[in-house]
Amino acid sequence: ELKVEQNPLFLSMQEGKNYTIYCNYSTTSDRLYWYRQDPGKSLESLFVLLSNGAVKQEGRLMASLDTKARLSTLHITAAVHDLSATYFCAVGLYGNKLVFGAGTILRVKS
Amino acid sequence: GAVVSQHPSRVICKSGTSVKIECRSLDFQATTMFWYRQFPKKSLMLMATSNEGSKATYEQGVEKDKFLINHASLTLSTLTVTSAHPEDSSFYICSARGELAGGPRDTQYFGPGTRLTVL
């Protein structure tokens, strides 16, 4: 059974600071997704990582994938309040199924 | 703009009644749609995979007779919660797998979700 572990589960950070969210998974996969969810809303796709060593950046967020270590990271640079949300990683399985991590609640304080 | 819609966005029903939730892909054909449920402050749990023209595949522990899924066309899947009870109250989210012109391949697009409250 695939397990997807995110940490930390809750992150409170000051504006302007940097931090990394980690996503570890227990079985082979070459597809890793990051999503953002605002309270009461559905999921917004942030990144799709499809190969070992993939790195993608959008604004203050950068995601990477190491399939050998079964690890993906979401790095936040110079956080701003608008980044406050819940962030999920999800691992792709056969049949295009996704298994989600528990989510990281991010609160950026001014 | 939104590429997957869900209807209704919120529904309140009495215990014992049935509720139908629609999921539509708006700008692409989705051969596969997925249904998830999410409890407050929790992650998404896959309930079932819906393929157009065939029976849905349910995840372990999900009652197929309670959560009826129909994928009648390449742009529409429906989830019917039959004989709903308060423990069925949850946030139900659908997603559709497909490719938008110019978009990333092999990605799922999520609907806005339906909040079901069973009294």
Side-chain angles (χ1 to χ4, degrees), chain A residues 31 33 35 37 40-43 45 48 50 56 88 95-98 100-103 105, chain B residues 34 36 38 42-44 46 49 59 91 93 97 104-108 110-113 115:
Chain A
R31 292 177 291 134
Y33 305 80
Y35 293 92
Q37 186 179 38
K41 304 293 184 182
S42 190
L43 276 69
S45 179
V48 180
L50 299 175
K56 291 193 176 181
F88 291 98
N96 302 300
K97 294 183 182 182
L98 294 181
F100 283 80
I105 300 173
Chain B
F34 303 87
Y36 298 83
Q38 184 181 31
K42 298 294 184 183
S43 190
L44 279 74
L46 178 64
T49 303
E59 295 300 299
F91 193 47
I93 304 174
R97 178 178 176 267
R105 67 180 180 92
D106 196 23
T107 192
Q108 289 187 26
F110 285 80
R115 187 161 303 284

Side-chain angles (χ1 to χ4, degrees), chain B residues 20-73:
Chain B
K20 179 185 284 189
I21 303 169
E22 292 186 348
C23 176
R24 294 181 185 272
S25 59
L26 301 179
D27 297 311
F28 62 99
Q29 293 183 331
T31 53
T32 306
M33 289 186 173
F34 303 87
W35 287 95
Y36 298 83
R37 68 185 297 182
Q38 184 181 31
F39 291 104
K41 300 188 187 302
K42 298 294 184 183
S43 190
L44 279 74
M45 300 298 294
L46 178 64
M47 298 175 67
T49 303
S50 169
N51 291 297
E52 187 266 338
S54 63
K55 291 184 178 180
T57 303
Y58 291 81
E59 295 300 299
Q60 192 172 9
V62 177
E63 298 176 61
K64 62 180 181 180
D65 294 330
K66 180 167 187 63
F67 298 100
L68 300 179
I69 291 172
N70 183 276
H71 196 150
S73 74

Side-chain angles (χ1 to χ4, degrees), chain B residues 72-98:
Chain B
S73 74
L74 287 172
T75 59
L76 173 65
S77 177
T78 60
L79 168 67
T80 302
V81 183
T82 62
S83 187
H85 290 284
E87 57 265 30
D88 298 324
S89 299
S90 189
F91 193 47
Y92 292 88
I93 304 174
C94 73
S95 72
R97 178 178 176 267

Side-chain angles (χ1 to χ4, degrees), chain A residues 19-66:
Chain A
Y19 209 85
T20 300
I21 300 171
Y22 297 88
C23 177
N24 291 274
Y25 53 99
S26 63
T27 194
T28 302
S29 174
D30 57 1
R31 292 177 291 134
L32 195 294
Y33 305 80
W34 284 96
Y35 293 92
R36 168 182 172 144
Q37 186 179 38
D38 292 294
K41 304 293 184 182
S42 190
L43 276 69
E44 174 191 353
S45 179
L46 295 175
F47 300 107
V48 180
L49 302 169
L50 299 175
S51 61
N52 185 40
V55 177
K56 291 193 176 181
Q57 183 166 2
E58 181 73 34
R60 300 174 187 275
L61 301 177
M62 183 173 69
S64 66
L65 176 62
D66 181 342

